[in-house]
Amino acid sequence: MKKLDKHYDVIVIGGGATGAGTARDCALRGLKVLLVERFDFTHGATGRNHGLLHSGARYAVTDRESATECIEENMILRRIAANCVEDTGGLFITLPEDDLAYQQTFVEACQAAGIKAEAIDPALARQMEPAVNADIIGAVKVPDGSIDPFRLTMANVYDARLHGADILTYHEVTDYIRTGSRIEGVVMRNHRNGGEEVRATADVVVNAAGIWGHLLAEKAGVSVKMFPAKGSLLVFGHRVNNIVINRCRKPANADILVPGDTVCVIGTTSDRVPFDSVDRMEVTPEEVDVLLREGVKLAPGLATTRILRAYAGVRPLVASDDDPSGRSISRGIVCLDHASRDGLEGFITITGGKLMTYRLMAEWATDMVCRKLGRTNLKCVTAQRPLPGSESKKNKSLKTAGSKAARGRHGSLAVNIPSDSASDRALVCECENVSVGEIEYAVKDLHVDNLLNLRRRTRLGMGTCQGQLCVCRASAILEQHDGCTDRHLDDIASFVNERWKGIRPVAWGDAMAETQFTSWIYGAVCGLDNRRSVDEMV
Amino acid sequence: MDLQNENISIHNFEQCTKCTVCTVSCPVTPINPRYPGPKQAGPDGERYRLKNPEFFDEAFKYCLNCKRCEVACPSDVRIGDIILSARLKHTKKRPSLRDTMLAETDAMGSLATICAPVVNLTLSMSPVKYVMDRTFGIDNHRRFPKYTSTKFVTWFKRHAASAQKQYTRQVSYFHGCYVNYNYPALGRALVGLYNAVGIGVNLLERERCCGVAKIANRLVKEATRDAEINLTSIRKALADGSEAVIATSSTCCFTMRDEYPHILGLENGDIRSSITLAVAHLSRLIERGDIKLVFREDYRRRIAYHTPCHMERMGFTPYSISLLEAIPGVELVVLDSNCCGIAGTYGFKKENYPTSQAIGEPLFRQIADVAPDFVATDCETCKWQIEMSTGHEVKNPVEILFEALDVEATRRANNLNN
């Protein structure tokens, strides 16, 4: 057993946007922070959603409070996370089968929530977004955009560390250190070191573990009733649309198409699933059918565009405290002080909410931490201070596709990417233009020690071929850092299998041909057929 | 699950399975490190350009448009077309005066033939070459093809046109700029060859440059204008009774068949199969038993055949090879398929000259080893490149066929009187 020799003000559990945001907020306020993640950052719902910068319009009619939170955070994120956000704009379209009268209700609700929504001529909408269904009978323009949750989370982690936070990935909280009715720290298992037990102590522990927060609360002896809701999405091979397209009707399945980076994503479905399935989400053929059938109504071009993969995330829906049956679900932010609620000192749960409101959730949680520490003089600055990479950009002209892509991904931090030599600039992932230099940078600064980490930091293996040639190239670079060939062969097998998991539901046509080719390379040529794939490492 | 059967991409670039064989077959990639290679520039880059046109890279100008990537591709991705289309769409700089002059083959040819001897002499003088190199960026190593005083069209009208009506079968000949302004001998050989088998040769009502040089130098509007004139003339010729429109230049033929629809967006599906190369047309007629060629007994030559890139793209190489092999006294050596490096106007540009020569180097070496009497090829710019770089004479297969032909015996074999 190992005990970290430092005592922290706060330990944050969960490496999603909320946990990373909370760690950053705490660190910026000068608290001593430890951020703990079970596997890798963005491994949960943060890395498995639309990447939509909601204007809030989607909630305007049904949930005014969420809508207002969304538009406020939307405006803040455009400022502080400029490099993670793309101002694509959004449309809410009415199809002949939809009720056009709803448009009026919708626009009024948006305006009441402070969202700039403007009904426009369908002809103008078709001109603005040629990919949109030409049959539309109505269109409303809203300030939607796209946001890259991987970049957003890593920028928060980066800044937290810059301000003194300690970061542990692949450390799973298995128990708490407690004295009477007070949580005084956590017991963790280090997945990377033979399951070694590690302990750390703190005045306050924040549970920011998304759907897994339900289990972490249970472990602490308190109950936060959550319901896992599975949402499935499809990623298309290139951008069909450049403006977010939504359906102007009550929220339903597959009614948002978001252009993000090089691809576009249609989603989602929404189904309650049992807790024992949350670590094993797979998209079913029926879900693929629904997504495709409904998606084509938004943009007919999707029908003849290659699908790269399908994925599913789990939303943590939280039952209102006054109705533990779960019939009344709150979609808003839930920030619980278990001392006043359950008599358990030193423990906070922050949950509910959305990717869009991660910063506000972090602010609320950090405010609560400060109250518990008696340091309410520490004020939140995250609504004003830009995230690393999103500081104002110098206008440096970039030559190679790799440097342009890296600039897009890392913003002003891209200056840290080595690019002096031809080998630095050589491409590892050709679909997504990831250079050797970018990988070296990720290994050095972005907590990378396996291929999946690398994918989430750089988009390696996220393009058309889903990791056909880049995987062995990247693995060779990682291998140079530790010389542990055997581990990296397992790593390749894990990565390729993880990619296949997402391709399988859409494996037909070109995707099938490509996958077959990939399997020859890794199975037959590289001899990885008999390698164990380490699911735990994902 | 019917949706899955229907969800097949119509986007050509998405049919790429990233096997990278295109980049392996690219002549430029190993020579010029600034060129990202066909896979990167083509299907990979296309996705990025759809996201943001700023991902267009000026280095795509190093692409030869040889289409060897397309020949190599197992998934029928038109990689060369993707790259060329991106260049036409996204290049910001306007074509330079030099590029425009190199591309305006018709205009320059018409001017030059007026006073050919003076032009030829001037273009071959070293001070002139020096000035062109320094001021225009036309490499001073290059030899300009000699201009003729009598254009092919002039000769044809004076000496051949009236005799064509006697034949029942008719073809139309797309002679191209080179035959017209520089090398009318090839056109005369073609007319002689076809007449010997009993087929009359016509010219198109109006013929403009096929447009390959204008396309390569991004003069799209001008190329489209010429292409439309050519297509109209070709349709009229076919309607008027020509059984095919034949060319002697593989690149002219390729451009009209494939670049017109794929790059210029001009539909030619109704006539594409009737636009062909003389060697392809003759081969099919021989195969069908429609015509016979009889060759001279005393014709003895050792010939090395070089496959032009566009010949390979069209899949026409076997026609030239089998026709040349049919000449009894010819010992034919088929050279390895290797781009000669000139790629039309590409190799004339100073900045491309070293790349151009490095690409052709293995070919030049092999020709030296084979030591043929002369080299055969279907493309005029390959001819210039090989002649300049190896000192060997280069001829078009049609020219060789006519040279080796026993005209009288052939006429008899095809049941022609006298």
Side-chain angles (χ1 to χ4, degrees), chain A residues 70-393:
Chain A
C70 270
I71 189 63
E72 283 170 8
E73 289 301 306
N74 178 311
M75 293 302 150
I76 291 170
L77 289 175
R78 282 165 193 266
R79 224 170 33 238
I80 66 155
N83 188 56
C84 312
V85 166
E86 188 180 335
D87 181 16
T88 62
L91 291 172
F92 274 75
I93 59 164
T94 308
L95 293 175
E97 66 204 77
D98 301 332
D99 179 12
L100 190 58
Y102 185 77
Q103 193 187 68
Q104 183 66 25
T105 318
F106 171 79
V107 171
E108 281 166 9
C110 282
Q111 281 158 357
I115 301 160
K116 253 180 79 180
E118 182 195 344
I120 59 170
D121 187 339
L124 178 61
R126 283 190 288 267
Q127 203 180 354
M128 285 163 61
E129 179 47 75
V132 77
N133 190 334
D135 297 335
I136 53 171
I137 55 170
V140 180
K141 208 174 89 180
V142 298
D144 280 345
S146 70
I147 183 157
D148 188 306
F150 301 102
R151 278 174 221 162
L152 181 70
T153 307
M154 285 319 296
N156 276 283
V157 171
Y158 191 97
D159 210 23
R161 201 189 52 198
L162 222 52
H163 290 86
D166 288 337
I167 315 273
L168 290 175
T169 52
Y170 293 97
H171 279 64
E172 181 166 5
V173 172
T174 53
D175 205 350
Y176 299 95
I177 303 168
R178 61 173 84 214
T179 314
S181 61
R182 170 178 284 277
I183 298 277
E184 293 190 325
V186 295
V187 182
M188 297 166 279
R189 181 190 297 131
N190 179 356
H191 289 301
R192 277 308 155 78
N193 201 359
E196 181 198 30
E197 194 175 277
V198 182
R199 286 165 176 260
T201 57
D203 292 343
V204 183
V205 172
V206 178
N207 169 15
I211 190 66
W212 294 273
H214 174 98
L215 305 170
L216 280 166
E218 237 167 38
K219 220 166 263 169
V222 296
S223 165
V224 182
K225 194 115 181 95
M226 295 191 205
F227 301 96
K230 176 189 181 189
S232 297
L233 305 99
L234 297 180
V235 189
F236 287 83
H238 66 272
R239 278 189 175 203
V240 171
N241 55 326
N242 283 306
I243 297 179
V244 176
I245 307 176
N246 307 262
R247 257 320 247 290
C248 192
R249 61 172 186 192
K250 288 213 175 76
N253 279 339
D255 53 4
I256 314 179
L257 179 65
V258 182
D261 214 301
T262 45
V263 298
C264 61
V265 177
I266 182 79
T268 70
T269 58
S270 183
D271 294 289
R272 293 271 190 94
V273 290
F275 255 104
D276 58 9
S277 71
V278 297
D279 282 324
R280 292 278 177 280
M281 279 293 124
E282 296 208 20
V283 179
T284 65
E286 293 71 28
E287 288 168 328
V288 172
D289 271 6
V290 167
L291 290 166
L292 205 46
R293 190 176 304 119
E294 292 299 313
V296 165
K297 292 178 188 168
L298 297 178
L302 294 180
T304 47
T305 298
R306 180 161 161 187
I307 307 175
L308 292 187
R309 60 190 288 111
Y311 64 98
V314 182
R315 303 179 190 88
L317 301 183
V318 188
S320 302
D321 264 356
D322 50 8
D323 179 21
S325 72
R327 276 192 299 274
S328 157
I329 297 289
S330 159
R331 290 217 174 220
I333 301 169
V334 177
C335 189
L336 303 172
D337 180 354
H338 294 287
S340 55
R341 181 175 176 268
D342 307 292
L344 180 67
E345 267 302 336
F347 194 59
I348 290 173
T349 293
I350 177 76
T351 186
K354 296 173 259 313
L355 176 66
M356 272 311 289
T357 53
Y358 92 92
R359 192 211 60 83
L360 188 61
M361 294 166 77
E363 183 178 338
W364 287 13
T366 309
D367 284 349
M368 193 178 275
V369 169
C370 289
R371 279 199 299 278
K372 294 182 87 63
L373 294 173
R375 300 175 69 177
T376 46
N377 58 320
L378 304 174
K379 294 295 174 221
C380 179
V381 294
T382 57
Q384 291 83 38
R385 187 182 295 202
L387 284 159
S390 294
E391 297 94 348
S392 65
K393 296 174 182 175

Side-chain angles (χ1 to χ4, degrees), chain A residues 237-238 261-263 285 289 302-306 404-405 427 430-433 464-465 468-469 508 510 514 517, chain B residues 1 3-4 6-11 13-20 39-40 44 47-48 50-51 54-56:
Chain A
H238 66 272
D261 214 301
T262 45
V263 298
D289 271 6
L302 294 180
T304 47
T305 298
R306 180 161 161 187
K404 286 175 194 164
L427 288 184
E430 296 173 50
C431 298
E432 295 293 343
N433 289 318
T464 319
C465 78
Q468 186 183 91
L469 295 170
W508 62 77
D510 299 318
E514 182 136 20
F517 186 59
Chain B
M1 299 292 250
L3 286 170
Q4 303 189 2
E6 286 160 28
N7 173 260
I8 297 297
S9 174
I10 54 166
H11 303 278
F13 73 91
E14 286 188 332
Q15 279 141 25
C16 168
T17 58
K18 312 296 168 194
C19 70
T20 315
K39 174 172 168 287
Q40 261 291 296
D44 286 356
R47 275 177 88 223
Y48 262 88
L50 285 171
K51 173 192 162 188
E54 74 154 12
F55 280 92
F56 173 75

Side-chain angles (χ1 to χ4, degrees), chain B residues 56 58 61 84 86-96 99 103 212-223:
Chain B
F56 173 75
E58 294 289 337
K61 69 180 175 201
L84 181 53
R87 282 182 56 214
L88 299 178
K89 187 170 170 196
H90 298 298
T91 305
K92 288 198 186 74
K93 269 193 254 167
R94 291 182 44 203
S96 64
D99 293 0
V212 67
K214 292 196 180 78
I215 294 171
N217 290 290
R218 299 183 287 112
L219 300 164
V220 179
K221 216 169 59 199
E222 294 82 350

Side-chain angles (χ1 to χ4, degrees), chain A residues 425-458:
Chain A
R425 293 189 298 270
L427 288 184
V428 176
C429 169
E430 296 173 50
C431 298
E432 295 293 343
N433 289 318
V434 182
S435 68
V436 172
E438 189 174 346
I439 289 178
E440 295 289 0
Y441 163 70
V443 171
K444 188 167 149 280
D445 280 358
L446 302 178
H447 304 269
V448 165
D449 82 339
N450 67 29
L451 291 164
L452 282 155
N453 305 156
L454 201 52
R455 168 172 73 75
R456 296 186 180 113
R457 310 298 185 269
T458 65

